[in-house]
Amino acid sequence: MLRYLPFLLILALTIYAFIDCLNTPEEDVKHLPKVVWVIIILLFSIVGPVVWLFAGKKRSAVGGGGRGGRGRTQWVAPDDNPEFLKSLRDEQENKDRKDEKDKGQDQD
């Protein structure tokens, strides 16, 4: 079983690099077109994935705030998110108005 481990690791690395390359937006791919990177990853089983991981993609620093200000924003807890709190207030006000309206109709 242990003799298969290197082959499994190489296969796992190749699959990871292949999927990572396919999921990377075209503008984040460096040096070569994305199609060429896919071919390199699949043809050169050890070297291709390693080169892709180190040189093929623009990588952001850990904790750098995501993708340079575009795309995703930093996650905010619901109790600190003003938009979420506003939606809760609006929802409660709508519910109160509906309850008052229903109460007024019941009295008629």
Side-chain angles (χ1 to χ4, degrees), residues 1-21:
M1 178 69 182
L2 198 55
R3 64 181 166 197
Y4 298 118
L5 187 62
F7 300 109
L8 292 175
L9 290 176
I10 292 169
L11 181 64
L13 177 66
T14 303
I15 291 171
Y16 174 79
F18 178 71
I19 292 172
D20 187 44
C21 182

Side-chain angles (χ1 to χ4, degrees), residues 17-59:
F18 178 71
I19 292 172
D20 187 44
C21 182
L22 291 179
N23 287 331
T24 301
E26 191 71 41
E27 62 269 5
D28 289 346
V29 177
K30 295 191 317 188
H31 306 297
L32 297 170
K34 196 170 172 176
V35 175
V36 176
W37 277 116
V38 169
I39 293 169
I40 289 172
I41 290 168
L42 294 176
L43 287 180
F44 304 104
S45 64
I46 297 174
V47 176
V50 171
V51 171
W52 163 255
L53 292 174
F54 286 105
K57 173 180 176 177
K58 293 179 187 172
R59 305 231 181 241

Side-chain angles (χ1 to χ4, degrees), residues 46-85:
I46 297 174
V47 176
V50 171
V51 171
W52 163 255
L53 292 174
F54 286 105
K57 173 180 176 177
K58 293 179 187 172
R59 305 231 181 241
S60 61
V62 175
R67 297 178 174 212
R70 65 176 177 86
R72 298 181 183 170
T73 58
Q74 189 173 9
W75 184 82
V76 178
D79 58 342
D80 292 337
N81 187 341
E83 293 174 13
F84 178 72
L85 295 174

